[in-house]
Amino acid sequence: MVDIETYAQQLAALRETIAKAADALNLPQMQEELDELKEEMNAPEFWTALERSTAVTRRVRHIEGRIDHVTRLNARCDDVEAMLSLLAEEPDPDIARECVSELAALRADADALELETLMRGEYDDCDCVLSLHAGAGGTEAQDWTQMLHRMYTRYCERMGFKVAVLDLLDGDEAGVKSVTFQVEGDNAYGYLRSERGVHRLVRISPFDSNARRHTSFASMDVAPILPEDDKFEVNMEEVRIDTYRAGGAGGQHVNRTDSAVRMTHIPTGTVAQCQNERSQVQNREVCLRLLKSRLMELKMREKEEQMSDIKGEMKKIEWGSQIRSYVFQPYTMVKDHRTGFESGNVDDVMDGSLSGFITAFLKMQ
């Protein structure tokens, strides 16, 4: 027997969730902004200012995406309501199964919309740069860093984000010592900023012939990629620029010239480097963008805590400073120490299932 009343209650709860999320997004105000931006785009001289046109186009796409998301969810709720009406007139197992399936899908999408309402930071809708660094643990830590890189790559694939490696330093025997990669997608920084900190691994090391349990650490740093029209500038007199030969497999050009670029902001010690592009000019442009992003992130965090605390947090990649622990033996558990959220399915987490951890952090904030 089809329990139409239960389905109707679930649908009503979903409509309420969607309505609250729409109110939090302030759709009327977003529509007004969209109309103004589209009017600006119709101006004859609009495309002559590349930086402004790029920023406006990005913002229009972002607003349209959120409005369309709400519109589509409401339309799907209407479809489920129509199916319930059909079931009330004449029970049909196929329609009932379709109704249950759509309600489950709607619940997941409504939760995603609710999460979007938590993206209220100034740069949450920006792309971002992620940097992983191996900490205490030697080869084991370098292997752990590579595992984390794979995990975040898988998460980005699930989210539909585009990932590009900008710089990578191989480990001595296995894994990687550090890797920097760019993530492009809607609210990429808003989602991934929660991952900044130290990640701890506990497992029986495959590099230990005695099969002993080891603890390893790796740190993650996350910085937003500033919009082209952002006014944040870097005093280049305070930046030291070094060039060197790029590592990796190479080719006809790579490894034969000093194409890789490293920039160091002397007052803060902030470093950015890039060796992914084929020419030094291209690497220099990307490197400067990374440096600006990291300095902006540092400036944002200065408002919350002292500079010395920030540097201490990022440098101390060892016991007691982790934000999350990944335990492979003697039991399986991934636990976030900030929110208390945990998962017993380590394999699923390492395959990119991070939404629960990220959602818990955003709701906590």
Side-chain angles (χ1 to χ4, degrees):
M1 182 178 178
V2 180
D3 192 350
I4 298 176
E5 184 177 349
T6 299
Y7 295 163
Q9 290 175 352
Q10 293 176 3
L11 180 61
L14 285 171
R15 285 192 183 275
E16 185 178 356
T17 298
I18 296 168
K20 288 181 177 179
D23 288 341
L25 290 172
N26 199 348
L27 292 189
Q29 182 178 332
M30 294 184 77
Q31 186 62 55
E32 288 181 13
E33 182 183 355
L34 181 62
D35 294 339
E36 292 174 0
L37 291 175
K38 285 190 173 182
E39 186 176 345
E40 181 180 347
M41 292 177 70
N42 291 329
E45 68 279 4
F46 174 75
W47 297 105
T48 59
L50 182 59
E51 289 186 358
R52 176 60 182 168
S53 61
T54 301
V56 170
T57 303
R58 178 190 177 95
R59 181 61 180 166
V60 166
R61 187 169 63 247
H62 177 74
I63 295 175
E64 287 181 335
R66 288 195 164 182
I67 294 175
D68 289 346
H69 194 179
V70 175
T71 302
R72 288 196 307 271
L73 286 178
N74 283 324
R76 288 167 62 188
C77 285
D78 293 340
D79 292 341
V80 172
E81 189 171 353
M83 284 190 282
L84 291 177
S85 297
L86 290 174
L87 288 173
E89 295 177 2
E90 183 178 354
D92 186 314
D94 292 335
I95 295 179
R97 281 193 294 270
E98 184 179 355
C99 187
V100 171
S101 175
E102 182 62 8
L103 279 171
L106 265 172
R107 191 174 298 108
D109 288 345
D111 289 342
L113 177 65
E114 188 177 27
L115 190 57
E116 286 185 24
T117 66
L118 304 177
M119 303 295 172
R120 298 173 183 173
E122 184 177 0
Y123 297 103
D124 278 0
D125 62 342
C126 290
D127 300 332
C128 62
V129 175
L130 278 61
S131 299
L132 283 163
H133 301 274
T139 300
E140 177 75 10
Q142 292 164 19
D143 186 54
W144 172 228
T145 304
Q146 187 174 49
M147 291 167 63
L148 287 174
H149 180 220
R150 178 188 178 277
M151 181 184 77
Y152 285 113
T153 300
R154 290 286 190 271
Y155 170 75
C156 291
E157 289 173 354
R158 291 186 179 208
M159 296 293 291
F161 295 160
K162 180 181 177 182
V163 179
V165 175
L166 302 178
D167 188 73
L168 187 146
L169 180 61
D170 287 323
D172 296 324
E173 299 178 20
V176 296
K177 292 181 178 179
S178 65
V179 58
T180 300
F181 50 107
Q182 178 174 316
V183 178
E184 299 178 6
D186 290 340
N187 299 314
Y189 177 69
Y191 286 112
L192 288 166
R193 61 183 169 86
S194 64
E195 298 303 289
R196 182 183 189 272
V198 176
H199 298 252
R200 169 180 172 247
L201 168 68
V202 179
R203 68 169 178 175
I204 294 176
S205 173
F207 306 101
D208 188 335
S209 58
N210 295 317
R212 290 172 296 188
R213 196 171 63 189
H214 286 242
T215 299
S216 308
F217 301 87
S219 71
M220 165 74 91
D221 200 7
V222 186
I225 297 179
L226 305 183
E228 293 292 339
D229 62 343
D230 193 275
K231 303 303 180 184
F232 183 78
E233 295 294 338
V234 177
N235 183 359
M236 296 306 294
E237 294 181 357
E238 299 177 339
V239 177
R240 185 178 73 246
I241 302 176
D242 302 306
T243 58
Y244 57 98
R245 290 196 177 185
Q252 292 184 348
H253 175 75
V254 178
N255 294 332
R256 297 192 180 185
T257 63
D258 293 342
S259 59
V261 177
R262 179 187 298 111
M263 293 185 180
T264 305
H265 186 249
I266 297 172
T268 63
T270 303
V271 178
Q273 56 191 38
C274 182
Q275 63 172 343
N276 191 57
E277 306 298 334
R278 289 183 60 83
S279 75
Q280 186 183 119
V281 173
Q282 292 172 309
N283 280 324
R284 186 181 292 256
E285 291 176 355
V286 174
C287 198
L288 180 57
R289 191 163 68 242
L290 294 181
L291 184 64
K292 288 178 64 176
S293 297
R294 286 176 177 169
L295 288 175
M296 171 55 75
E297 172 73 4
L298 201 58
K299 183 179 178 181
M300 291 163 60
R301 293 187 176 274
E302 270 190 288
K303 299 176 182 178
E304 302 175 0
E305 47 186 318
Q306 296 296 322
M307 179 78 75
S308 58
D309 293 337
I310 298 175
K311 287 189 173 181
E313 175 189 347
M314 293 312 298
K315 287 182 179 178
K316 188 179 179 183
I317 314 175
E318 56 188 30
W319 187 275
S321 58
Q322 65 271 4
I323 63 165
R324 191 177 300 151
S325 292
Y326 305 72
V327 182
F328 285 50
Q329 281 99 12
Y331 55 90
T332 58
M333 177 68 69
V334 181
K335 181 172 182 177
D336 195 295
H337 303 292
R338 301 162 300 177
T339 64
F341 186 89
E342 58 185 41
S343 171
N345 192 340
V346 173
D347 291 337
D348 192 38
V349 172
M350 296 309 300
D351 205 35
S353 182
L354 298 174
S355 295
F357 295 94
I358 292 173
T359 299
F361 178 84
L362 292 173
K363 288 185 175 180
M364 179 190 73
Q365 286 200 318

